[in-house]
């Protein structure tokens, strides 16, 4: 059976809630989705019923993902969550469900099978909001905070 790794865009699109296939996410993605308070019980049930497993990728796979992202020029567009997701897909030889262009690009360069969120039959459209975890200010079109230099984090907004 093929493993499936989800990034946060796949998670926000509701894939783990609408599929019986077991999914994997990294601890960083779990922390990112943790703010969806209304779905919090649903997430706990997924974990308890083993439909969702949280797994930390090993360093060697994180390094391989970092190297591939630097090579393809996508590194500055990718968050730590994104990098961990690519690394876990590589480690588990899993299919990666994402709608993030940079994530897909790096994953394909590593011969990871990428499944676009769209093709899973999910209709929600996600847009991303970028914010500085230090200054708590939102930005667009930049990956680093112009005020303090922190790497920006992103949050999905359902339309
Ligand atoms: Zn800042």
């Amino acid at each position: 059976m093929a493993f499936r790794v989800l990034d946060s865009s796949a998670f926000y699109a509701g894939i783990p809630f609408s599929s019986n296939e077991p999914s994997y996410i990294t601890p960083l993605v779990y922390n990112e989705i943790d703010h969806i308070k209304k779905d919090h019980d649903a997430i706990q049930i997924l974990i308890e019923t083993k439909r969702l497993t949280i797994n930390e990728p090993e360093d060697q796979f994180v390094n391989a993902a970092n190297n591939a992202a630097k090579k393809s020029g996508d590194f500055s567009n990718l968050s730590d969550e994104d990098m961990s997701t690519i690394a876990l897909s590589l480690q588990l030889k899993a299919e990666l469900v994402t709608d993030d262009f940079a994530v897909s690009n790096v994953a394909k360069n590593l011969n990871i099978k990428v499944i676009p969120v769209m093709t899973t039959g999910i209709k929600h459209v996600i847009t991303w909001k970028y914010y500085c975890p230090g200054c708590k200010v939102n930005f667009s079109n930049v990956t680093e905070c112009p005020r303090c230099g922190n790497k920006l984090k992103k949050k999905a907004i359902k339309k």
Side-chain angles (χ1 to χ4, degrees):
M1 189 188 60
F3 293 114
R4 263 186 172 188
V5 173
L6 307 180
D7 80 346
S8 45
S9 65
F11 211 97
Y12 287 119
I15 287 172
F17 304 109
S18 60
S19 160
N20 281 321
E21 282 185 59
S23 307
Y24 287 76
I25 58 172
T26 68
L28 287 173
V29 171
Y30 179 69
N31 290 341
E32 194 184 330
I33 60 174
D34 202 32
H35 71 270
I36 328 176
K37 291 285 181 261
K38 71 175 171 60
D39 287 335
H40 197 77
D41 288 346
I43 295 171
Q44 285 311 315
I45 289 167
L46 289 177
I47 293 169
E48 280 163 24
T49 56
K50 311 260 188 251
R51 281 163 60 197
L52 182 67
T53 303
I54 300 164
N55 205 337
E56 175 97 57
E58 291 166 21
D59 287 348
Q60 64 181 109
F61 296 101
V62 176
N63 291 339
N66 282 337
N67 289 337
K70 284 172 186 162
K71 224 170 162 181
S72 66
D74 291 303
F75 190 72
S76 63
N77 294 320
L78 294 165
S79 64
D80 292 342
E81 291 82 12
D82 295 330
M83 295 313 304
S84 71
T85 299
I86 296 166
L88 186 62
S89 307
L90 191 62
Q91 181 178 333
L92 298 175
K93 296 181 173 59
E95 299 167 349
L96 170 56
V97 186
T98 181
D99 70 354
D100 186 300
F101 181 78
V103 171
S104 306
N105 194 41
V106 175
K108 284 174 185 167
N109 283 332
L110 288 163
N111 295 317
I112 294 165
K113 188 177 176 198
V114 176
I115 303 174
V117 171
M118 296 265 297
T119 64
T120 58
I122 305 293
K123 298 288 184 269
H124 295 299
V125 177
I126 304 293
T127 55
W128 295 102
K129 182 175 95 177
Y130 292 83
Y131 69 99
C132 172
C135 308
K136 315 274 184 224
V137 179
N138 298 326
F139 299 99
S140 53
N141 302 320
V142 287
T143 53
E144 267 177 18
C145 178
R147 297 187 181 190
C148 69
N150 262 334
K151 203 167 183 180
L152 298 183
K153 290 177 117 358
K154 60 184 185 183
K155 218 184 237 179
I157 303 162
K158 251 184 211 177
K159 277 196 169 171

